[in-house]
Amino acid sequence: MSTPSIHCLKPSPLHLPSGIPGSPGRQRRHTLPANEFRCLTPEDAAGVFEIEREAFISVSGNCPLNLDEVRHFLTLCPELFLGWFMEGRPVAFIIGSLWDEERLTQESLTLHRPGGRTAHLHVLAVHRSFRQQGKGSVLLWRYLQHAGGQPAVRRAVLMCEDALVPFYQRFGFHPMGPCAIIVGSLTFTEMHCSLRGHAALRRNSDR
């Protein structure tokens, strides 16, 4: 089985639609990049899991992925993980995998289907010190451009609680009705997004 290649993100201007906060402006120089978007590596697993654990346990009491699952997905599809680092420190990240069915199922929580054309977004989390600053919006838009630039990926899917539906609609996601996945007493709405427009934005920004 071939190992998936990691798509490196070269520096490029980030074009955001109106209403979505921009990334921070010019930063003073550091040995480490002031702002860096890159795919995650196994060395990042523990740090991003701590952000996930704090973000989700405090709200719902459940983590979408445990540390072993984060590491497992990192070995299978690192090109579908994207982190935002400031001075070398992770401040926000998205974990994704490929899925090959029309709708999400319970299996989609822990499986990566290499032949799939759908990027399943498992987790979007922001470090508590950087919340309410628009960083989740910036990272999600960047991620959709990144995923849309991969030839095999045609759309993105996720599940969210009803209160978050308007947030994801701003990025082109459309509610598809109740998700088949139930976690404890929590129910979710499944949302789909075509990546064709995001792929075009990525191509233009690379010129």
Side-chain angles (χ1 to χ4, degrees), residues 69-129:
E69 289 167 338
V70 171
R71 287 172 170 154
H72 178 64
F73 276 127
L74 265 173
T75 65
L76 297 176
C77 48
E79 72 279 10
L80 292 171
F81 285 55
L82 186 64
W84 185 349
F85 293 77
M86 298 183 68
E87 299 179 21
R89 176 187 180 187
V91 300
F93 67 92
I94 292 175
I95 294 175
S97 67
L98 289 180
W99 186 240
D100 60 357
E101 298 183 21
E102 179 63 25
R103 299 291 295 267
L104 296 175
T105 69
Q106 205 72 30
E107 286 185 325
S108 64
L109 293 179
T110 55
L111 292 182
H112 168 64
R113 298 275 178 79
R117 293 184 175 271
T118 296
H120 172 202
L121 281 63
H122 294 266
V123 180
L124 188 167
V126 179
H127 189 282
R128 63 181 177 274
S129 299

Side-chain angles (χ1 to χ4, degrees), residues 21-73:
S23 57
R26 182 177 299 177
Q27 304 283 338
R28 56 190 174 87
R29 292 187 176 183
H30 298 275
T31 303
L32 294 169
N35 281 285
E36 179 185 21
F37 295 90
R38 64 169 173 82
C39 296
L40 301 181
T41 68
E43 290 72 26
D44 299 316
V48 299
F49 174 70
E50 283 305 308
I51 297 174
E52 178 201 2
R53 185 179 62 82
E54 188 278 330
F56 285 89
I57 292 293
S58 62
V59 175
S60 65
N62 295 292
C63 266
L65 299 172
N66 62 41
L67 180 56
D68 287 341
E69 289 167 338
V70 171
R71 287 172 170 154
H72 178 64
F73 276 127

Side-chain angles (χ1 to χ4, degrees), residues 9-13 15 145 149 199-207:
L9 298 175
K10 62 182 181 181
S12 61
H15 303 290
Q145 290 188 41
L201 285 172
R202 177 63 187 272
R203 287 194 297 271
N204 291 335
S205 68
D206 284 346
R207 291 176 181 172

